[in-house]
Amino acid sequence: MTQIVTNSLPLGIAGDITRSGDGLAIEAQTMGTTPLTSYGLPAKLVSGAITGIVGGDTADLILGFLVRANPSQGGNTSNEAFGAGTPPLAGVAVSLLKSGYIAVQNNFGTPAKEGIVYVRIAAPSGAKVVGGIEATADGANTIIVPNAAFTGAADATGVAEVRFNV
Amino acid sequence: MTQSFDAQTVDSTGVFFATQLNRIDPVLNTPLADFTYARDIDIAPLDVADEQTSFDSVKYAATGGVEAAGPSFVSSKVTEIGTVGVDLQRVTAGTFLWAQAVQKTVIELAQAQKLGRPLDAMLLDAMNMKLNVDMQNHVYLGYTPNAGTAIKGLLNSTQVTAATVATGVGGFLWTQKTDDEILADINTLLTAAWQASGFTIMPDRLGLPPLKFSYLVSRKIANQTMSLLTYLSQNTMANNINGKPLDIVPMREAVGAGAGATDRMIAYRKRADVVRIPKSPVLSVPVQFVGLYQKAIYYTRFGTVEFVKPEAVRYADGF
């Protein structure tokens, strides 16, 4: 991601709460064995801790989206580039957006206003990772995030805004 | 395990954090951005409560003497002397309310403080940058809503006459033209605006796409004594009428702003009674404390670029 600004700014950083209204975020514990790997990903609850959506998961398991706190210590062991912030590892309390607006990384497809938000659960390839957000349906390989919609197009870095449970 | 920014420092030699033996430059390198709207247009007053802006123009009329349209020459015993009249018009334009929230939690603030990174200053800077980005786009190219009429800016107004530059011996591009042909292109543009304004207003500013500006700087006149840009700024109509060199400036929004997505140049008089944009001061609500959050909303109102004397502005495309 470039630092040069001409006639637009990126619309958000993945995981940022993008609107200042009465969004709802709760605390959650990250799972030790399989923590979420990026901010702004949808999460489910397993044994009291949150983890990413994987193969076989159904839409009703989606609890919320992982919120980015800035500044905070991440879970990465190397220096982080723009947009590459990694959530902290096990045992750390993080914030989970239950309702509101959040910036997410869209891996595939073109988000449009009121467009359906998909999560990949199978057949990953390239940027289309399992547990990641996409804007285009891919049969049984994607599930629909309930009560969620894109609010418009993504920016140059693929970050789009999602409305969830509002 | 203590977190480290470098896995190699974790397990050995008593250095646990990368920062312990790492000199960090405390300077925070902010994004590179340049906004030129404040250079190219005058800002007119506006209040955040104003939903529209308007300006009034007056037209004068006078009935003459022997001929109604002729001079007001009369005879010594005349009783029916011609009268003068005035007519006003009001031009109204919409405004746009602009708001941006700056919010952070007290925890984020405390952590930023400990890091020596001024979070609130960074967020405020980001807010200002968004304001400038929006203002820059609005001034030069206007705003196209999803539905409804597009609002035009300095470089694409339908009130301003646009023409294509003359074709030279080698072609219509400046790279194919002689110095004299380029000089003629600019003089034609300046003279057209001067003529349209009844020979009252000579443009004093010429906006060019940045790469065309760069081309004029790089190209020298035939005797190699100065760049073509310097020559043009001193030897066009503008210097001879206004008594000061033509202000030639790069405008990145002029790239592809012309008919058929060709490059466009704009000649105009930068004066508030020719073209301007109303804008209100940026205000903010008091910081609101909600749970851990501190929220502040900054708001202002943008007007629409107003061409009070569109005749004194002129576009030329395809050079």
Side-chain angles (χ1 to χ4, degrees):
Chain A
M1 193 164 94
T2 173
Q3 233 197 328
I4 311 298
V5 173
T6 50
N7 292 68
S8 67
L9 282 181
L11 69 76
I13 317 293
D16 273 0
I17 293 176
T18 48
R19 305 279 166 163
S20 66
D22 300 324
L24 189 68
I26 59 161
E27 64 281 357
Q29 205 91 38
T30 51
M31 194 180 205
T33 45
T34 49
L36 284 154
T37 49
S38 307
Y39 289 110
L41 286 181
K44 64 172 179 183
L45 200 65
V46 174
S47 312
I50 57 163
T51 186
I53 303 297
V54 294
D57 283 351
T58 50
D60 57 311
L61 291 173
I62 297 172
L63 262 191
F65 290 82
L66 182 62
V67 175
R68 189 178 79 109
N70 178 51
S72 66
Q73 279 198 327
N76 207 342
T77 50
S78 61
N79 295 327
E80 286 166 347
F82 287 133
T86 312
L89 302 172
V92 180
V94 291
S95 305
L96 195 66
L97 186 84
K98 293 288 290 173
S99 156
Y101 294 80
I102 190 166
V104 302
Q105 185 72 44
N106 174 53
N107 296 332
F108 185 70
T110 309
K113 203 170 182 63
E114 295 302 315
I116 296 170
V117 182
Y118 297 93
V119 182
R120 177 162 293 274
I121 55 165
S125 80
K128 297 191 274 187
V129 295
V130 168
I133 297 289
E134 295 181 20
T136 306
D138 185 15
N141 298 326
T142 54
I143 55 174
I144 294 175
V145 182
N147 297 322
F150 288 109
T151 61
D155 67 18
T157 60
V159 172
E161 187 189 35
V162 163
R163 190 193 68 219
F164 181 61
N165 279 344
V166 178
Chain B
M1 184 179 85
T2 307
Q3 286 189 13
S4 158
F5 298 116
D6 180 350
Q8 289 163 332
T9 63
V10 174
D11 60 351
S12 63
T13 65
V15 180
F16 295 103
F17 285 97
T19 49
Q20 282 184 305
L21 286 179
N22 180 358
R23 176 173 292 275
I24 297 176
D25 181 357
V27 172
L28 189 62
N29 296 288
T30 51
L32 277 181
D34 185 27
F35 304 106
T36 53
Y37 66 88
R39 178 197 66 190
D40 289 337
I41 199 163
D42 286 296
I43 309 254
L46 184 70
D47 190 279
V48 79
D50 298 328
E51 293 196 332
Q52 279 117 32
T53 58
S54 59
F55 60 89
D56 295 348
S57 302
V58 62
K59 177 177 154 183
Y60 297 148
T63 308
V66 178
E67 297 293 336
S72 303
F73 298 155
V74 297
S75 61
S76 56
K77 301 284 271 184
V78 69
T79 56
E80 306 302 315
I81 295 178
T83 58
V84 292
V86 295
D87 183 19
L88 271 73
Q89 73 163 4
R90 171 160 291 183
V91 177
T92 308
T95 62
F96 301 87
L97 190 60
W98 184 99
Q100 193 83 49
V102 171
Q103 68 174 27
K104 69 265 174 188
T105 66
V106 288
I107 309 302
E108 287 174 328
L109 205 56
Q111 289 180 326
Q113 201 171 17
K114 192 150 192 175
L115 284 172
R117 293 293 188 212
L119 181 63
D120 39 3
M122 285 191 279
L123 292 173
L124 199 67
D125 196 38
M127 187 278 295
N128 277 318
M129 190 161 287
K130 183 65 162 69
L131 178 70
N132 281 324
V133 162
D134 288 351
M135 192 69 182
Q136 176 89 6
N137 292 331
H138 196 64
V139 163
Y140 289 97
L141 297 173
Y143 168 65
T144 306
N146 290 330
T149 315
I151 305 299
K152 301 296 186 182
L154 188 62
L155 288 170
N156 60 358
S157 175
T158 48
Q159 295 180 63
V160 176
T161 307
T164 307
V165 293
T167 308
V169 175
F172 52 85
L173 295 174
W174 278 359
T175 48
Q176 301 161 332
K177 282 184 173 171
T178 64
D179 295 354
D180 285 349
E181 286 171 342
I182 294 174
L183 177 67
D185 279 351
I186 293 173
N187 273 337
T188 303
L189 178 66
L190 295 172
T191 307
W194 188 42
Q195 189 172 9
S197 67
F199 302 109
T200 54
I201 301 177
M202 170 58 74
D204 61 358
R205 183 169 294 241
L206 181 75
L208 292 175
L211 294 182
K212 295 288 158 68
F213 180 89
S214 149
Y215 177 71
L216 293 186
V217 173
S218 311
R219 180 163 157 178
K220 295 197 195 85
I221 59 169
N223 69 4
Q224 305 285 309
T225 52
M226 64 177 87
S227 73
L228 190 52
L229 186 92
T230 308
Y231 176 82
L232 289 171
S233 76
Q234 289 171 3
N235 292 281
T236 54
M237 288 292 293
N239 197 12
N240 287 289
I241 301 291
N242 296 332
K244 62 170 186 159
L246 181 64
D247 266 336
I248 305 180
V249 294
M251 295 182 183
R252 60 176 182 260
E253 290 78 10
V255 178
T262 54
D263 279 354
R264 169 164 280 183
M265 58 178 155
I266 177 178
Y268 66 108
R269 187 64 174 259
K270 184 192 169 272
R271 225 165 64 182
D273 64 346
V274 172
V275 60
R276 64 195 181 197
I277 183 153
K279 185 178 167 300
S280 81
V282 180
L283 304 171
S284 69
V285 298
V287 177
Q288 301 161 51
F289 300 94
V290 183
L292 289 174
Y293 280 89
Q294 294 182 357
K295 305 181 180 190
I297 317 263
Y298 293 82
Y299 60 99
T300 181
R301 201 179 268 277
F302 288 15
T304 303
V305 174
E306 290 179 331
F307 287 90
V308 184
K309 297 279 190 288
E311 299 86 358
V313 186
R314 203 91 177 176
Y315 304 142
D317 299 344
F319 49 95

